[in-house]
Amino acid sequence: SERAELQERLAQAVETTERLPMYEQRVAEKLSELGALRDREVDENHLAELRSWLVAAARQSGCQVRRIDFASPASRPWKTDDHPIDLPADGDKRGANTPFDLQTRPGAFSVTGTTSEVLALLKSIDDDQRLKHTNTLDLKPTSRSSQELQLELNLWYFALVKSKGVA
């Protein structure tokens, strides 16, 4: 019986080693997905790059930048089955705690330009792959006779960070 038990354990070990390449491939795929998501988040380290990109996108579209402000991020615990724009009152839809906090960084962006310039800028911002949500968008003419528009855009940029106290 001892020999049969050892043979069974050996067979399980051989089966596990045969599946090892599949597991390694899945780990590599998941690490690649994680890297792609990490490249899309906006944390403190990416803020200067984002600011420069917004200015360049506005200039490239022909718009004039009036203001770019980023506030300090707000943090909240990230749960399984969570969504970045869920409000605390929506918490009952969320699952168990995770070892992460969601950082939401508000950004205010104001530009002026013609209709086509503002549309080109909005398309550039929409095409940008960073994790973001448009909180408010206000578009109005700068004066009655002018063809120039003023765009006030409030965006939320997101990042997941390890919760304090989690190693």
Side-chain angles (χ1 to χ4, degrees), residues 49-136:
E49 176 189 335
L50 174 61
R51 186 183 306 272
S52 297
W53 182 86
L54 285 169
V55 169
R59 288 183 181 155
Q60 186 175 4
S61 68
C63 292
Q64 299 294 316
V65 177
R66 297 174 55 96
R67 179 185 61 148
I68 297 178
D69 291 322
F70 289 100
S72 297
S75 291
R76 69 167 174 81
W78 182 254
K79 302 193 179 255
T80 58
D81 300 323
D82 206 344
H83 193 277
I85 58 174
D86 278 350
L87 299 173
D90 296 335
D92 55 323
K93 298 179 202 168
R94 298 182 291 163
N97 288 336
T98 68
F100 299 99
D101 286 339
L102 175 70
Q103 280 188 350
T104 304
R105 182 177 303 277
F109 186 49
S110 176
V111 297
T112 57
T114 64
T115 302
S116 60
E117 292 168 345
V118 169
L119 286 174
L121 175 61
L122 287 172
K123 173 125 177 60
S124 294
I125 292 171
D126 186 47
D127 289 344
D128 181 46
Q129 293 298 306
R130 289 179 184 90
L131 300 173
K132 64 187 172 300
H133 171 74
T134 303
N135 185 32
T136 62

Side-chain angles (χ1 to χ4, degrees), residues 13-79:
V14 168
E15 185 179 322
T16 300
T17 58
E18 289 173 352
R19 286 187 286 186
L20 188 59
M22 179 190 66
Y23 291 139
E24 289 172 340
Q25 179 184 357
R26 287 183 63 198
V27 166
E29 289 170 0
K30 293 296 181 187
L31 287 173
S32 176
E33 288 176 26
L34 177 63
L37 283 172
R38 288 279 182 213
D39 290 343
R40 295 177 58 200
E41 70 181 4
V42 176
D43 59 12
E44 195 68 37
N45 299 329
H46 297 99
L47 206 50
E49 176 189 335
L50 174 61
R51 186 183 306 272
S52 297
W53 182 86
L54 285 169
V55 169
R59 288 183 181 155
Q60 186 175 4
S61 68
C63 292
Q64 299 294 316
V65 177
R66 297 174 55 96
R67 179 185 61 148
I68 297 178
D69 291 322
F70 289 100
S72 297
S75 291
R76 69 167 174 81
W78 182 254
K79 302 193 179 255

